[in-house]
Amino acid sequence: MPHPPTDLPHRIGVCSWSLRPTGPADLAAKVAQSGLHLVQLALDPIRDDRWSLAETSNTLAAAGVRIASGMMQTKGEDYTSPASIRASGGLRPDATWNDNLAAAEHNARIANALGLNLVTFHAGFLPHEPGPERTKLETRLQTFAEVFAHRGIRLGLETGQETAHTLEVVLGDLNARLPESAHLGVNFDPANMLLYGMGDPVAALKQLAPLVLQVHIKDATAAPSPAAWGTEVPVGQGAVDWPAFLSVLHRERPHINLLIERESGESRLNDISAARTVLMGEPIP
């Protein structure tokens, strides 16, 4: 693999929820312990008043931590199994749609106050075939995109819950009828492609590259069957071909941010440090 771009260290960060912070000060301290200065910030703790917006902004700024983007979570998600998240995830359930729309409007105001121009989330499983369910989801995604675009913010959809082809087709349809400022993009997560059994991450990145706005750096072993999850593992220990993945990424999307995400395990700071080592093309100690 060619040498990493010279600006890469400034584009590597960490997802706030991976650090399991108790508040803004704890988040700032843990980002510092990780050796990084960039974070993707979960917005919902601010939205539901667990965290203060002003304190979060001021504490991170004082610690020299930049906020790369925001993340919102939809209501009622059940990750017990692929089947449960297929039924409960993202914008698909009718029972949570109004609550999720209200949360989006609130999170858009928070992201705007923080000066962000990107928020990412799981849209929910996009049906592979056209039909009423896909039409419903496209309509809801268009509404979400317009809510955030009203405040100068783009939305990035997490990969993995559908194939790259389905995501490309749906976003193509949506973006054709949205103003450019509201165009939906992709938050590419290679591990999710494996966890959900939705294809090879490198091939998917090549296909979706023009739409990629941000990347989550995460690794996994492949799902053994459609009814079971794959397993998240530290970066470099799973099935992602990192030299091939990073070669495509540096060629096709050389200036986007790479946010390390670790959602399991009890040695997360060590795992985050190891992930940064992989990104920089250095051997893991």
Side-chain angles (χ1 to χ4, degrees):
M1 186 180 73
H3 290 295
T6 56
D7 69 336
L8 181 60
H10 304 291
R11 295 188 285 108
I12 298 174
V14 62
C15 298
S16 65
W17 55 97
S18 296
L19 297 169
R20 296 180 289 189
T22 58
D26 187 44
L27 174 60
K30 286 177 174 174
V31 173
Q33 290 174 46
S34 74
L36 300 169
H37 303 280
L38 187 69
V39 69
Q40 180 175 17
L41 183 67
L43 301 176
D44 296 296
I46 299 173
R47 178 182 59 80
D48 62 19
D49 294 324
R50 283 175 286 159
W51 292 21
S52 156
L53 172 61
E55 181 187 0
T56 301
S57 178
N58 293 338
T59 300
L60 293 178
V65 176
R66 293 184 295 116
I67 306 174
S69 58
M71 183 276 285
M72 76 164 283
Q73 189 171 9
T74 54
K75 184 176 181 179
E77 293 180 328
D78 177 2
Y79 281 92
T80 303
S81 68
S84 67
I85 194 60
R86 182 182 293 274
S88 67
L91 308 185
R92 221 168 164 177
D94 296 339
T96 54
W97 164 242
N98 289 332
D99 287 337
N100 284 327
L101 180 57
E105 290 167 342
H106 195 166
N107 280 332
R109 294 194 295 273
I110 292 168
N112 179 254
L114 291 169
L116 306 182
N117 59 16
L118 175 65
V119 170
T120 74
F121 82 119
H122 280 286
F125 280 83
L126 301 174
H128 297 297
E129 301 299 329
E133 193 69 11
R134 185 195 275 187
T135 298
K136 179 183 79 174
L137 268 170
E138 288 188 358
T139 300
R140 290 178 177 180
L141 280 169
Q142 182 173 348
T143 300
F144 254 51
E146 290 167 345
V147 164
F148 282 91
H150 178 68
R151 298 183 183 276
I153 300 159
R154 290 187 69 182
L155 274 180
L157 274 60
E158 285 259 15
T159 53
Q161 296 186 339
E162 58 282 313
T163 64
H165 173 74
T166 296
L167 187 55
E168 182 182 40
V169 169
V170 169
L171 291 188
D173 290 345
L174 278 166
N175 288 339
R177 57 181 186 258
L178 284 165
E180 187 173 355
S181 61
H183 277 192
L184 289 152
V186 170
N187 180 79
F188 196 96
D189 186 322
N192 281 355
M193 305 299 296
L194 297 164
L195 290 168
Y196 288 94
M198 289 295 167
D200 172 61
V202 177
L205 178 63
K206 290 177 181 177
Q207 183 169 355
L208 294 171
L211 293 164
V212 174
L213 304 176
Q214 180 178 274
V215 171
H216 277 173
I217 300 299
K218 191 168 74 187
D219 209 343
T221 58
S225 74
W229 294 115
T231 302
E232 186 200 349
V233 296
V235 169
Q237 296 182 26
V240 177
D241 182 344
W242 288 105
F245 183 86
L246 293 173
S247 179
V248 173
L249 185 64
H250 295 332
R251 182 178 70 247
E252 300 291 339
R253 303 298 286 167
H255 303 301
I256 61 173
N257 292 321
L258 315 182
L259 283 303
I260 299 166
E261 184 179 35
R262 185 74 170 113
E263 296 188 290
S264 64
E266 297 304 319
S267 301
R268 297 195 184 187
L269 283 171
N270 288 339
D271 294 343
I272 289 163
S273 176
R276 184 187 181 280
T277 297
V278 171
L279 293 176
M280 294 304 298
E282 301 166 0
I284 299 176

